[in-house]
PDB file of all heavy atoms in Angstrom:
ATOM      1  N   GLN N   1    -332.814 -26.848 127.837  1.00 92.00           N
ATOM      2  CA  GLN N   1    -331.383 -26.916 127.557  1.00 92.00           C
ATOM      3  C   GLN N   1    -330.576 -27.136 128.829  1.00 92.00           C
ATOM      4  O   GLN N   1    -329.539 -27.801 128.811  1.00 92.00           O
ATOM      5  CB  GLN N   1    -330.933 -25.635 126.852  1.00 92.00           C
ATOM      6  CG  GLN N   1    -331.428 -25.508 125.412  1.00 92.00           C
ATOM      7  CD  GLN N   1    -331.128 -24.153 124.810  1.00 92.00           C
ATOM      8  OE1 GLN N   1    -330.499 -23.312 125.457  1.00 92.00           O
ATOM      9  NE2 GLN N   1    -331.599 -23.922 123.596  1.00 92.00           N
ATOM     10  N   ALA N   2    -331.045 -26.557 129.946  1.00 92.00           N
ATOM     11  CA  ALA N   2    -330.349 -26.744 131.216  1.00 92.00           C
ATOM     12  C   ALA N   2    -330.449 -28.186 131.698  1.00 92.00           C
ATOM     13  O   ALA N   2    -329.526 -28.697 132.352  1.00 92.00           O
ATOM     14  CB  ALA N   2    -330.922 -25.790 132.259  1.00 92.00           C
ATOM     15  N   LEU N   3    -331.559 -28.855 131.381  1.00 94.00           N
ATOM     16  CA  LEU N   3    -331.733 -30.246 131.802  1.00 94.00           C
ATOM     17  C   LEU N   3    -330.970 -31.212 130.908  1.00 94.00           C
ATOM     18  O   LEU N   3    -330.372 -32.177 131.386  1.00 94.00           O
ATOM     19  CB  LEU N   3    -333.218 -30.616 131.783  1.00 94.00           C
ATOM     20  CG  LEU N   3    -334.127 -29.966 132.828  1.00 94.00           C
ATOM     21  CD1 LEU N   3    -335.575 -30.371 132.589  1.00 94.00           C
ATOM     22  CD2 LEU N   3    -333.688 -30.361 134.227  1.00 94.00           C
ATOM     23  N   ARG N   4    -330.991 -30.961 129.595  1.00 93.00           N
ATOM     24  CA  ARG N   4    -330.322 -31.846 128.639  1.00 93.00           C
ATOM     25  C   ARG N   4    -328.814 -31.806 128.846  1.00 93.00           C
ATOM     26  O   ARG N   4    -328.207 -30.746 128.906  1.00 93.00           O
ATOM     27  CB  ARG N   4    -330.642 -31.444 127.201  1.00 93.00           C
ATOM     28  CG  ARG N   4    -332.013 -31.831 126.734  1.00 93.00           C
ATOM     29  CD  ARG N   4    -332.122 -31.755 125.216  1.00 93.00           C
ATOM     30  NE  ARG N   4    -331.674 -30.490 124.672  1.00 93.00           N
ATOM     31  CZ  ARG N   4    -332.460 -29.618 124.032  1.00 93.00           C
ATOM     32  NH1 ARG N   4    -333.740 -29.874 123.861  1.00 93.00           N
ATOM     33  NH2 ARG N   4    -331.954 -28.489 123.557  1.00 93.00           N
ATOM     34  N   GLY N   5    -328.216 -32.978 128.920  1.00 90.00           N
ATOM     35  CA  GLY N   5    -326.777 -33.068 129.110  1.00 90.00           C
ATOM     36  C   GLY N   5    -326.374 -33.101 130.568  1.00 90.00           C
ATOM     37  O   GLY N   5    -325.290 -33.583 130.903  1.00 90.00           O
ATOM     38  N   ARG N   6    -327.241 -32.592 131.449  1.00 93.00           N
ATOM     39  CA  ARG N   6    -326.940 -32.604 132.883  1.00 93.00           C
ATOM     40  C   ARG N   6    -327.767 -33.665 133.594  1.00 93.00           C
ATOM     41  O   ARG N   6    -327.238 -34.664 134.060  1.00 93.00           O
ATOM     42  CB  ARG N   6    -327.189 -31.209 133.485  1.00 93.00           C
ATOM     43  CG  ARG N   6    -326.993 -31.155 135.004  1.00 93.00           C
ATOM     44  CD  ARG N   6    -325.562 -31.504 135.385  1.00 93.00           C
ATOM     45  NE  ARG N   6    -325.380 -31.533 136.827  1.00 93.00           N
ATOM     46  CZ  ARG N   6    -325.453 -32.650 137.564  1.00 93.00           C
ATOM     47  NH1 ARG N   6    -325.744 -33.798 136.996  1.00 93.00           N
ATOM     48  NH2 ARG N   6    -325.258 -32.596 138.863  1.00 93.00           N
ATOM     49  N   ARG N   7    -329.072 -33.476 133.664  1.00 95.00           N
ATOM     50  CA  ARG N   7    -329.926 -34.448 134.354  1.00 95.00           C
ATOM     51  C   ARG N   7    -330.539 -35.451 133.389  1.00 95.00           C
ATOM     52  O   ARG N   7    -330.930 -36.539 133.778  1.00 95.00           O
ATOM     53  CB  ARG N   7    -331.019 -33.703 135.120  1.00 95.00           C
ATOM     54  CG  ARG N   7    -330.467 -32.789 136.219  1.00 95.00           C
ATOM     55  CD  ARG N   7    -331.563 -31.968 136.867  1.00 95.00           C
ATOM     56  NE  ARG N   7    -332.556 -32.831 137.485  1.00 95.00           N
ATOM     57  CZ  ARG N   7    -333.760 -32.405 137.875  1.00 95.00           C
ATOM     58  NH1 ARG N   7    -334.114 -31.152 137.676  1.00 95.00           N
ATOM     59  NH2 ARG N   7    -334.606 -33.248 138.426  1.00 95.00           N
ATOM     60  N   LEU N   8    -330.648 -35.068 132.132  1.00 95.00           N
ATOM     61  CA  LEU N   8    -331.138 -35.951 131.062  1.00 95.00           C
ATOM     62  C   LEU N   8    -330.051 -36.031 130.002  1.00 95.00           C
ATOM     63  O   LEU N   8    -329.519 -35.002 129.586  1.00 95.00           O
ATOM     64  CB  LEU N   8    -332.395 -35.372 130.408  1.00 95.00           C
ATOM     65  CG  LEU N   8    -333.648 -35.212 131.260  1.00 95.00           C
ATOM     66  CD1 LEU N   8    -334.607 -34.254 130.565  1.00 95.00           C
ATOM     67  CD2 LEU N   8    -334.319 -36.552 131.458  1.00 95.00           C
ATOM     68  N   SER N   9    -329.736 -37.228 129.572  1.00 95.00           N
ATOM     69  CA  SER N   9    -328.686 -37.359 128.571  1.00 95.00           C
ATOM     70  C   SER N   9    -329.041 -38.462 127.591  1.00 95.00           C
ATOM     71  O   SER N   9    -329.850 -39.342 127.896  1.00 95.00           O
ATOM     72  CB  SER N   9    -327.342 -37.665 129.246  1.00 95.00           C
ATOM     73  OG  SER N   9    -326.276 -37.480 128.348  1.00 95.00           O
ATOM     74  N   MET N  10    -328.422 -38.404 126.402  1.00 94.00           N
ATOM     75  CA  MET N  10    -328.746 -39.383 125.366  1.00 94.00           C
ATOM     76  C   MET N  10    -327.494 -39.805 124.619  1.00 94.00           C
ATOM     77  O   MET N  10    -326.633 -38.970 124.298  1.00 94.00           O
ATOM     78  CB  MET N  10    -329.775 -38.804 124.388  1.00 94.00           C
ATOM     79  CG  MET N  10    -330.246 -39.794 123.339  1.00 94.00           C
ATOM     80  SD  MET N  10    -331.719 -39.198 122.460  1.00 94.00           S
ATOM     81  CE  MET N  10    -332.023 -40.599 121.362  1.00 94.00           C
ATOM     82  N   ILE N  11    -327.394 -41.096 124.362  1.00 92.00           N
ATOM     83  CA  ILE N  11    -326.371 -41.645 123.477  1.00 92.00           C
ATOM     84  C   ILE N  11    -327.046 -41.859 122.129  1.00 92.00           C
ATOM     85  O   ILE N  11    -327.976 -42.660 122.016  1.00 92.00           O
ATOM     86  CB  ILE N  11    -325.809 -42.971 124.005  1.00 92.00           C
ATOM     87  CG1 ILE N  11    -325.216 -42.790 125.404  1.00 92.00           C
ATOM     88  CG2 ILE N  11    -324.756 -43.528 123.053  1.00 92.00           C
ATOM     89  CD1 ILE N  11    -324.836 -44.094 126.078  1.00 92.00           C
ATOM     90  N   PHE N  12    -326.589 -41.135 121.109  1.00 88.00           N
ATOM     91  CA  PHE N  12    -327.231 -41.200 119.810  1.00 88.00           C
ATOM     92  C   PHE N  12    -326.692 -42.368 118.987  1.00 88.00           C
ATOM     93  O   PHE N  12    -325.578 -42.850 119.199  1.00 88.00           O
ATOM     94  CB  PHE N  12    -327.037 -39.889 119.055  1.00 88.00           C
ATOM     95  CG  PHE N  12    -327.678 -38.709 119.723  1.00 88.00           C
ATOM     96  CD1 PHE N  12    -326.953 -37.916 120.599  1.00 88.00           C
ATOM     97  CD2 PHE N  12    -329.008 -38.409 119.500  1.00 88.00           C
ATOM     98  CE1 PHE N  12    -327.544 -36.836 121.234  1.00 88.00           C
ATOM     99  CE2 PHE N  12    -329.614 -37.327 120.128  1.00 88.00           C
ATOM    100  CZ  PHE N  12    -328.875 -36.551 120.999  1.00 88.00           C
ATOM    101  N   GLN N  13    -327.509 -42.782 118.029  1.00 82.00           N
ATOM    102  CA  GLN N  13    -327.189 -43.973 117.248  1.00 82.00           C
ATOM    103  C   GLN N  13    -326.042 -43.744 116.266  1.00 82.00           C
ATOM    104  O   GLN N  13    -325.232 -44.633 116.043  1.00 82.00           O
ATOM    105  CB  GLN N  13    -328.438 -44.434 116.490  1.00 82.00           C
ATOM    106  CG  GLN N  13    -328.281 -45.760 115.782  1.00 82.00           C
ATOM    107  CD  GLN N  13    -329.602 -46.280 115.251  1.00 82.00           C
ATOM    108  OE1 GLN N  13    -330.659 -45.720 115.508  1.00 82.00           O
ATOM    109  NE2 GLN N  13    -329.555 -47.358 114.520  1.00 82.00           N
ATOM    110  N   ASP N  14    -325.965 -42.561 115.672  1.00 79.00           N
ATOM    111  CA  ASP N  14    -324.960 -42.291 114.647  1.00 79.00           C
ATOM    112  C   ASP N  14    -323.962 -41.258 115.172  1.00 79.00           C
ATOM    113  O   ASP N  14    -324.243 -40.054 115.159  1.00 79.00           O
ATOM    114  CB  ASP N  14    -325.628 -41.774 113.370  1.00 79.00           C
ATOM    115  CG  ASP N  14    -324.636 -41.585 112.228  1.00 79.00           C
ATOM    116  OD1 ASP N  14    -323.431 -41.807 112.446  1.00 79.00           O
ATOM    117  OD2 ASP N  14    -325.071 -41.223 111.122  1.00 79.00           O
ATOM    118  N   PRO N  15    -322.778 -41.689 115.607  1.00 78.00           N
ATOM    119  CA  PRO N  15    -321.833 -40.734 116.188  1.00 78.00           C
ATOM    120  C   PRO N  15    -321.286 -39.729 115.189  1.00 78.00           C
ATOM    121  O   PRO N  15    -320.910 -38.617 115.552  1.00 78.00           O
ATOM    122  CB  PRO N  15    -320.719 -41.635 116.738  1.00 78.00           C
ATOM    123  CG  PRO N  15    -320.810 -42.895 115.953  1.00 78.00           C
ATOM    124  CD  PRO N  15    -322.267 -43.062 115.639  1.00 78.00           C
ATOM    125  N   MET N  16    -321.225 -40.083 113.905  1.00 78.00           N
ATOM    126  CA  MET N  16    -320.642 -39.164 112.924  1.00 78.00           C
ATOM    127  C   MET N  16    -321.504 -37.926 112.740  1.00 78.00           C
ATOM    128  O   MET N  16    -320.994 -36.829 112.508  1.00 78.00           O
ATOM    129  CB  MET N  16    -320.459 -39.879 111.579  1.00 78.00           C
ATOM    130  CG  MET N  16    -319.499 -39.165 110.628  1.00 78.00           C
ATOM    131  SD  MET N  16    -317.869 -38.932 111.375  1.00 78.00           S
ATOM    132  CE  MET N  16    -317.136 -37.772 110.240  1.00 78.00           C
ATOM    133  N   THR N  17    -322.811 -38.062 112.839  1.00 82.00           N
ATOM    134  CA  THR N  17    -323.693 -36.904 112.702  1.00 82.00           C
ATOM    135  C   THR N  17    -323.966 -36.238 114.052  1.00 82.00           C
ATOM    136  O   THR N  17    -324.554 -35.158 114.093  1.00 82.00           O
ATOM    137  CB  THR N  17    -325.034 -37.309 112.061  1.00 82.00           C
ATOM    138  OG1 THR N  17    -325.645 -38.334 112.861  1.00 82.00           O
ATOM    139  CG2 THR N  17    -324.814 -37.847 110.656  1.00 82.00           C
ATOM    140  N   SER N  18    -323.558 -36.867 115.148  1.00 86.00           N
ATOM    141  CA  SER N  18    -323.804 -36.309 116.473  1.00 86.00           C
ATOM    142  C   SER N  18    -322.627 -35.486 116.977  1.00 86.00           C
ATOM    143  O   SER N  18    -322.805 -34.579 117.787  1.00 86.00           O
ATOM    144  CB  SER N  18    -324.107 -37.428 117.471  1.00 86.00           C
ATOM    145  OG  SER N  18    -325.210 -38.195 117.048  1.00 86.00           O
ATOM    146  N   LEU N  19    -321.414 -35.808 116.533  1.00 91.00           N
ATOM    147  CA  LEU N  19    -320.230 -35.059 116.929  1.00 91.00           C
ATOM    148  C   LEU N  19    -319.993 -33.914 115.949  1.00 91.00           C
ATOM    149  O   LEU N  19    -320.203 -34.057 114.747  1.00 91.00           O
ATOM    150  CB  LEU N  19    -319.010 -35.987 116.964  1.00 91.00           C
ATOM    151  CG  LEU N  19    -319.034 -37.078 118.034  1.00 91.00           C
ATOM    152  CD1 LEU N  19    -317.912 -38.083 117.804  1.00 91.00           C
ATOM    153  CD2 LEU N  19    -318.929 -36.472 119.431  1.00 91.00           C
ATOM    154  N   ASN N  20    -319.543 -32.784 116.480  1.00 92.00           N
ATOM    155  CA  ASN N  20    -319.286 -31.605 115.653  1.00 92.00           C
ATOM    156  C   ASN N  20    -317.971 -31.790 114.901  1.00 92.00           C
ATOM    157  O   ASN N  20    -316.911 -31.922 115.531  1.00 92.00           O
ATOM    158  CB  ASN N  20    -319.225 -30.354 116.526  1.00 92.00           C
ATOM    159  CG  ASN N  20    -319.249 -29.075 115.728  1.00 92.00           C
ATOM    160  OD1 ASN N  20    -318.656 -28.989 114.659  1.00 92.00           O
ATOM    161  ND2 ASN N  20    -319.934 -28.070 116.250  1.00 92.00           N
ATOM    162  N   PRO N  21    -317.986 -31.789 113.557  1.00 92.00           N
ATOM    163  CA  PRO N  21    -316.756 -32.051 112.806  1.00 92.00           C
ATOM    164  C   PRO N  21    -315.743 -30.914 112.867  1.00 92.00           C
ATOM    165  O   PRO N  21    -314.576 -31.107 112.510  1.00 92.00           O
ATOM    166  CB  PRO N  21    -317.264 -32.249 111.370  1.00 92.00           C
ATOM    167  CG  PRO N  21    -318.535 -31.465 111.308  1.00 92.00           C
ATOM    168  CD  PRO N  21    -319.149 -31.586 112.671  1.00 92.00           C
ATOM    169  N   SER N  22    -316.156 -29.713 113.314  1.00 93.00           N
ATOM    170  CA  SER N  22    -315.253 -28.561 113.314  1.00 93.00           C
ATOM    171  C   SER N  22    -314.605 -28.299 114.667  1.00 93.00           C
ATOM    172  O   SER N  22    -313.828 -27.351 114.800  1.00 93.00           O
ATOM    173  CB  SER N  22    -316.014 -27.308 112.858  1.00 93.00           C
ATOM    174  OG  SER N  22    -317.072 -27.004 113.747  1.00 93.00           O
ATOM    175  N   HIS N  23    -314.922 -29.126 115.666  1.00 95.00           N
ATOM    176  CA  HIS N  23    -314.318 -28.975 116.992  1.00 95.00           C
ATOM    177  C   HIS N  23    -313.633 -30.276 117.388  1.00 95.00           C
ATOM    178  O   HIS N  23    -314.093 -31.373 117.039  1.00 95.00           O
ATOM    179  CB  HIS N  23    -315.371 -28.611 118.035  1.00 95.00           C
ATOM    180  CG  HIS N  23    -315.968 -27.250 117.857  1.00 95.00           C
ATOM    181  ND1 HIS N  23    -315.354 -26.093 118.289  1.00 95.00           N
ATOM    182  CD2 HIS N  23    -317.124 -26.856 117.262  1.00 95.00           C
ATOM    183  CE1 HIS N  23    -316.119 -25.049 117.996  1.00 95.00           C
ATOM    184  NE2 HIS N  23    -317.186 -25.487 117.366  1.00 95.00           N
ATOM    185  N   THR N  24    -312.549 -30.156 118.137  1.00 96.00           N
ATOM    186  CA  THR N  24    -311.866 -31.361 118.607  1.00 96.00           C
ATOM    187  C   THR N  24    -312.750 -32.107 119.599  1.00 96.00           C
ATOM    188  O   THR N  24    -313.673 -31.540 120.206  1.00 96.00           O
ATOM    189  CB  THR N  24    -310.537 -31.011 119.285  1.00 96.00           C
ATOM    190  OG1 THR N  24    -310.795 -30.261 120.474  1.00 96.00           O
ATOM    191  CG2 THR N  24    -309.628 -30.230 118.346  1.00 96.00           C
ATOM    192  N   LEU N  25    -312.443 -33.383 119.774  1.00 95.00           N
ATOM    193  CA  LEU N  25    -313.205 -34.191 120.723  1.00 95.00           C
ATOM    194  C   LEU N  25    -313.054 -33.653 122.134  1.00 95.00           C
ATOM    195  O   LEU N  25    -314.011 -33.655 122.923  1.00 95.00           O
ATOM    196  CB  LEU N  25    -312.733 -35.643 120.642  1.00 95.00           C
ATOM    197  CG  LEU N  25    -312.864 -36.307 119.271  1.00 95.00           C
ATOM    198  CD1 LEU N  25    -312.212 -37.673 119.261  1.00 95.00           C
ATOM    199  CD2 LEU N  25    -314.325 -36.418 118.857  1.00 95.00           C
ATOM    200  N   GLY N  26    -311.856 -33.195 122.464  1.00 95.00           N
ATOM    201  CA  GLY N  26    -311.630 -32.642 123.790  1.00 95.00           C
ATOM    202  C   GLY N  26    -312.483 -31.411 124.052  1.00 95.00           C
ATOM    203  O   GLY N  26    -313.065 -31.266 125.138  1.00 95.00           O
ATOM    204  N   GLU N  27    -312.586 -30.524 123.070  1.00 96.00           N
ATOM    205  CA  GLU N  27    -313.407 -29.323 123.225  1.00 96.00           C
ATOM    206  C   GLU N  27    -314.869 -29.690 123.475  1.00 96.00           C
ATOM    207  O   GLU N  27    -315.542 -29.059 124.297  1.00 96.00           O
ATOM    208  CB  GLU N  27    -313.298 -28.455 121.966  1.00 96.00           C
ATOM    209  CG  GLU N  27    -311.946 -27.772 121.802  1.00 96.00           C
ATOM    210  CD  GLU N  27    -311.836 -27.073 120.460  1.00 96.00           C
ATOM    211  OE1 GLU N  27    -312.552 -27.477 119.518  1.00 96.00           O
ATOM    212  OE2 GLU N  27    -311.035 -26.133 120.355  1.00 96.00           O
ATOM    213  N   GLN N  28    -315.342 -30.699 122.754  1.00 94.00           N
ATOM    214  CA  GLN N  28    -316.747 -31.088 122.896  1.00 94.00           C
ATOM    215  C   GLN N  28    -317.018 -31.741 124.244  1.00 94.00           C
ATOM    216  O   GLN N  28    -318.071 -31.517 124.848  1.00 94.00           O
ATOM    217  CB  GLN N  28    -317.135 -32.022 121.742  1.00 94.00           C
ATOM    218  CG  GLN N  28    -317.109 -31.326 120.401  1.00 94.00           C
ATOM    219  CD  GLN N  28    -317.467 -32.235 119.251  1.00 94.00           C
ATOM    220  OE1 GLN N  28    -318.609 -32.661 119.126  1.00 94.00           O
ATOM    221  NE2 GLN N  28    -316.494 -32.552 118.411  1.00 94.00           N
ATOM    222  N   LEU N  29    -316.089 -32.552 124.721  1.00 95.00           N
ATOM    223  CA  LEU N  29    -316.248 -33.167 126.037  1.00 95.00           C
ATOM    224  C   LEU N  29    -316.199 -32.116 127.146  1.00 95.00           C
ATOM    225  O   LEU N  29    -316.994 -32.136 128.087  1.00 95.00           O
ATOM    226  CB  LEU N  29    -315.142 -34.203 126.253  1.00 95.00           C
ATOM    227  CG  LEU N  29    -315.447 -35.639 125.864  1.00 95.00           C
ATOM    228  CD1 LEU N  29    -314.163 -36.459 125.830  1.00 95.00           C
ATOM    229  CD2 LEU N  29    -316.435 -36.264 126.830  1.00 95.00           C
ATOM    230  N   MET N  30    -315.267 -31.198 127.032  1.00 96.00           N
ATOM    231  CA  MET N  30    -315.078 -30.193 128.071  1.00 96.00           C
ATOM    232  C   MET N  30    -316.209 -29.170 128.101  1.00 96.00           C
ATOM    233  O   MET N  30    -316.522 -28.620 129.151  1.00 96.00           O
ATOM    234  CB  MET N  30    -313.725 -29.496 127.870  1.00 96.00           C
ATOM    235  CG  MET N  30    -312.522 -30.394 128.122  1.00 96.00           C
ATOM    236  SD  MET N  30    -310.973 -29.697 127.483  1.00 96.00           S
ATOM    237  CE  MET N  30    -310.890 -28.157 128.394  1.00 96.00           C
ATOM    238  N   GLU N  31    -316.820 -28.915 126.963  1.00 94.00           N
ATOM    239  CA  GLU N  31    -317.886 -27.914 126.898  1.00 94.00           C
ATOM    240  C   GLU N  31    -319.031 -28.247 127.857  1.00 94.00           C
ATOM    241  O   GLU N  31    -319.499 -27.397 128.619  1.00 94.00           O
ATOM    242  CB  GLU N  31    -318.415 -27.799 125.474  1.00 94.00           C
ATOM    243  CG  GLU N  31    -319.538 -26.787 125.322  1.00 94.00           C
ATOM    244  CD  GLU N  31    -320.124 -26.755 123.924  1.00 94.00           C
ATOM    245  OE1 GLU N  31    -319.881 -27.705 123.150  1.00 94.00           O
ATOM    246  OE2 GLU N  31    -320.828 -25.785 123.607  1.00 94.00           O
ATOM    247  N   GLY N  32    -319.505 -29.506 127.817  1.00 92.00           N
ATOM    248  CA  GLY N  32    -320.593 -29.900 128.704  1.00 92.00           C
ATOM    249  C   GLY N  32    -320.195 -29.848 130.164  1.00 92.00           C
ATOM    250  O   GLY N  32    -320.981 -29.417 131.024  1.00 92.00           O
ATOM    251  N   LEU N  33    -318.988 -30.277 130.475  1.00 94.00           N
ATOM    252  CA  LEU N  33    -318.520 -30.270 131.861  1.00 94.00           C
ATOM    253  C   LEU N  33    -318.411 -28.849 132.406  1.00 94.00           C
ATOM    254  O   LEU N  33    -318.761 -28.583 133.558  1.00 94.00           O
ATOM    255  CB  LEU N  33    -317.165 -30.978 131.942  1.00 94.00           C
ATOM    256  CG  LEU N  33    -317.192 -32.488 131.673  1.00 94.00           C
ATOM    257  CD1 LEU N  33    -315.784 -33.018 131.441  1.00 94.00           C
ATOM    258  CD2 LEU N  33    -317.843 -33.223 132.839  1.00 94.00           C
ATOM    259  N   ARG N  34    -317.939 -27.938 131.587  1.00 94.00           N
ATOM    260  CA  ARG N  34    -317.785 -26.549 132.038  1.00 94.00           C
ATOM    261  C   ARG N  34    -319.144 -25.857 132.162  1.00 94.00           C
ATOM    262  O   ARG N  34    -319.387 -25.101 133.104  1.00 94.00           O
ATOM    263  CB  ARG N  34    -316.874 -25.785 131.082  1.00 94.00           C
ATOM    264  CG  ARG N  34    -315.459 -26.362 130.994  1.00 94.00           C
ATOM    265  CD  ARG N  34    -314.533 -25.463 130.204  1.00 94.00           C
ATOM    266  NE  ARG N  34    -314.251 -24.236 130.951  1.00 94.00           N
ATOM    267  CZ  ARG N  34    -313.478 -23.238 130.487  1.00 94.00           C
ATOM    268  NH1 ARG N  34    -312.944 -23.336 129.288  1.00 94.00           N
ATOM    269  NH2 ARG N  34    -313.271 -22.166 131.216  1.00 94.00           N
ATOM    270  N   HIS N  35    -320.021 -26.139 131.198  1.00 93.00           N
ATOM    271  CA  HIS N  35    -321.324 -25.474 131.198  1.00 93.00           C
ATOM    272  C   HIS N  35    -322.228 -25.985 132.317  1.00 93.00           C
ATOM    273  O   HIS N  35    -322.842 -25.193 133.043  1.00 93.00           O
ATOM    274  CB  HIS N  35    -321.996 -25.681 129.842  1.00 93.00           C
ATOM    275  CG  HIS N  35    -323.376 -25.116 129.773  1.00 93.00           C
ATOM    276  ND1 HIS N  35    -323.631 -23.760 129.696  1.00 93.00           N
ATOM    277  CD2 HIS N  35    -324.606 -25.725 129.792  1.00 93.00           C
ATOM    278  CE1 HIS N  35    -324.933 -23.548 129.660  1.00 93.00           C
ATOM    279  NE2 HIS N  35    -325.558 -24.720 129.721  1.00 93.00           N
ATOM    280  N   HIS N  36    -322.317 -27.311 132.460  1.00 94.00           N
ATOM    281  CA  HIS N  36    -323.277 -27.886 133.410  1.00 94.00           C
ATOM    282  C   HIS N  36    -322.727 -28.006 134.827  1.00 94.00           C
ATOM    283  O   HIS N  36    -323.485 -27.871 135.800  1.00 94.00           O
ATOM    284  CB  HIS N  36    -323.722 -29.268 132.929  1.00 94.00           C
ATOM    285  CG  HIS N  36    -324.579 -29.234 131.707  1.00 94.00           C
ATOM    286  ND1 HIS N  36    -325.814 -28.642 131.677  1.00 94.00           N
ATOM    287  CD2 HIS N  36    -324.379 -29.725 130.462  1.00 94.00           C
ATOM    288  CE1 HIS N  36    -326.355 -28.760 130.474  1.00 94.00           C
ATOM    289  NE2 HIS N  36    -325.500 -29.409 129.717  1.00 94.00           N
ATOM    290  N   LEU N  37    -321.431 -28.283 134.974  1.00 93.00           N
ATOM    291  CA  LEU N  37    -320.860 -28.499 136.309  1.00 93.00           C
ATOM    292  C   LEU N  37    -320.046 -27.312 136.799  1.00 93.00           C
ATOM    293  O   LEU N  37    -319.597 -27.319 137.948  1.00 93.00           O
ATOM    294  CB  LEU N  37    -319.980 -29.759 136.299  1.00 93.00           C
ATOM    295  CG  LEU N  37    -320.664 -31.060 135.901  1.00 93.00           C
ATOM    296  CD1 LEU N  37    -319.691 -32.236 136.052  1.00 93.00           C
ATOM    297  CD2 LEU N  37    -321.921 -31.305 136.718  1.00 93.00           C
ATOM    298  N   GLY N  38    -319.838 -26.319 135.936  1.00 93.00           N
ATOM    299  CA  GLY N  38    -319.101 -25.132 136.350  1.00 93.00           C
ATOM    300  C   GLY N  38    -317.629 -25.375 136.601  1.00 93.00           C
ATOM    301  O   GLY N  38    -316.998 -24.647 137.384  1.00 93.00           O
ATOM    302  N   LEU N  39    -317.048 -26.372 135.955  1.00 94.00           N
ATOM    303  CA  LEU N  39    -315.635 -26.687 136.161  1.00 94.00           C
ATOM    304  C   LEU N  39    -314.745 -25.715 135.401  1.00 94.00           C
ATOM    305  O   LEU N  39    -315.113 -25.200 134.338  1.00 94.00           O
ATOM    306  CB  LEU N  39    -315.325 -28.107 135.688  1.00 94.00           C
ATOM    307  CG  LEU N  39    -316.102 -29.252 136.346  1.00 94.00           C
ATOM    308  CD1 LEU N  39    -315.644 -30.592 135.789  1.00 94.00           C
ATOM    309  CD2 LEU N  39    -315.949 -29.226 137.857  1.00 94.00           C
ATOM    310  N   GLY N  40    -313.554 -25.471 135.955  1.00 95.00           N
ATOM    311  CA  GLY N  40    -312.549 -24.706 135.238  1.00 95.00           C
ATOM    312  C   GLY N  40    -311.968 -25.543 134.111  1.00 95.00           C
ATOM    313  O   GLY N  40    -312.200 -26.755 134.020  1.00 95.00           O
TER     314      GLY N  40
END
């Protein structure tokens, strides 16, 4: 899990099933940046 999204990443074929429908796009983008890069 520590490697995925940080050093290994994937663009999935079907974005509708890959994006979380209950969270905003901004929340999903920021989650990886905060978790992997330690950003505020």
